[in-house]
Amino acid sequence: MFKHIIDQDVELRLLDNHHAEVIFQSIDSCREHLREWLPWVDGTKTVEDTKSFIEMTKKQFASNEGFQTGIWYQGEFAGIIGYHGINWANKSVSIGYWMDERYIGKGIMTKACKAFVDYAFYGYKLNRVEIRCAQGNDKSRAIPGRLGFHEEGIIRESEWLYDHYVDHVVYGMLDREWK
Ligand SMILES: CC(C)(COP(=O)(O)OP(=O)(O)OC[C@H]1O[C@@H](n2cnc3c(N)ncnc32)[C@H](O)[C@@H]1OP(=O)(O)O)[C@@H](O)C(=O)NCCC(=O)NCCS
């Protein structure tokens, strides 16, 4: 099983079928926290939905379109980070993430995100990494902010969240800037 150790506390593990139960329990335990900014929470009703998601991510990895990993903190599942497919023609990718409410405020996601940006540039040899955050999602926006991304602009009413649209702020990092 692929894993990447970030430090003594934080480890990234490629998603696999046997993670479905712990991931679903995490989602189920903090639905209100997650659904404020993520559109798929209400549609994730049973562990079967999480299994389908993991199957999708395995196909994504097998077809060289990027991958998704669980984030493990001191041996416990803490969240997910992944690439949203890879645009090979333009050598760009975007990153998405979420964290179980119990593990926020520790800097875990910033470390995981840095590892994903590193792999995009040094592993996949891409030219551009993008992170899109809803305008009001200050905790998410702080992550590309801490990593030195450029705030490039706003996409109006970019995403439907259950009963309203949110604007997205686009953050970008180029290979030459990162290095
Ligand atoms: C977005 C989300 C992952 C951010 O989580 P987070 O814990 O704030 O992010 P980090 O793990 O990088 O931690 C940063 C926090 O840890 C603190 N911290 C502690 N040690 C740190 C370290 N070594 N490095 C960086 N930050 C550290 C920071 O001060 C910050 O706390 P603050 O918000 O009180 O200032 C989380 O809020 C979440 O899952 N939200 C719901 C889903 C979501 O919005 N996903 C993104 C959609 S675009």
Side-chain angles (χ1 to χ4, degrees):
M1 182 183 67
F2 162 90
K3 67 178 181 182
H4 173 72
I5 295 170
I6 293 181
D7 60 25
Q8 61 181 18
D9 291 324
V10 184
E11 189 172 302
L12 304 177
R13 299 181 192 165
L14 196 63
L15 293 186
D16 207 350
N17 298 351
H18 66 280
H19 297 137
E21 187 66 42
V22 71
I23 294 172
F24 178 73
Q25 290 307 332
S26 168
I27 294 166
D28 206 37
S29 72
C30 54
R31 288 183 179 276
E32 284 310 306
H33 155 67
L34 295 174
R35 81 187 293 287
E36 185 178 4
W37 300 115
L38 299 172
W40 46 260
V41 179
D42 288 3
T44 305
K45 293 182 168 57
T46 70
V47 71
E48 295 306 316
D49 297 316
T50 304
K51 284 182 185 161
S52 301
F53 166 71
I54 293 172
E55 278 303 322
M56 185 274 290
T57 68
K58 288 169 73 177
K59 286 184 188 142
Q60 176 192 5
F61 184 50
S63 53
N64 201 26
E65 291 173 11
F67 54 87
Q68 317 250 346
T69 68
I71 303 168
W72 300 77
Y73 178 73
Q74 297 182 345
E76 302 292 329
F77 174 79
I80 287 184
I81 182 164
Y83 298 115
H84 293 141
I86 296 177
N87 184 332
W88 286 109
N90 296 315
K91 291 189 157 193
S92 71
V93 73
S94 75
I95 294 174
Y97 42 72
W98 62 267
M99 183 89 88
D100 184 307
E101 199 171 10
R102 289 170 291 179
Y103 297 96
I104 64 171
K106 298 178 189 299
I108 302 169
M109 194 57 85
T110 300
K111 288 180 193 171
C113 196
K114 180 175 180 298
F116 265 70
V117 179
D118 273 338
Y119 196 80
F121 291 133
Y122 292 103
Y124 283 128
K125 302 198 183 310
L126 300 176
N127 180 55
R128 174 181 164 81
V129 175
E130 199 172 274
I131 297 176
R132 294 187 179 197
C133 309
Q135 196 162 28
N137 193 348
D138 295 336
K139 286 191 181 301
S140 183
R141 292 180 60 179
I143 292 171
R146 268 184 219 107
L147 294 175
F149 278 57
H150 290 252
E151 192 177 315
E152 297 178 329
I154 290 173
I155 303 177
R156 296 178 305 149
E157 301 196 355
S158 176
E159 185 177 30
W160 177 252
L161 272 182
Y162 306 102
D163 57 4
H164 65 289
Y165 286 107
V166 288
D167 296 347
H168 277 175
V169 184
V170 179
Y171 291 88
M173 175 64 74
L174 302 179
D175 175 59
R176 62 180 176 276
E177 296 165 343
W178 188 253
K179 289 173 178 169

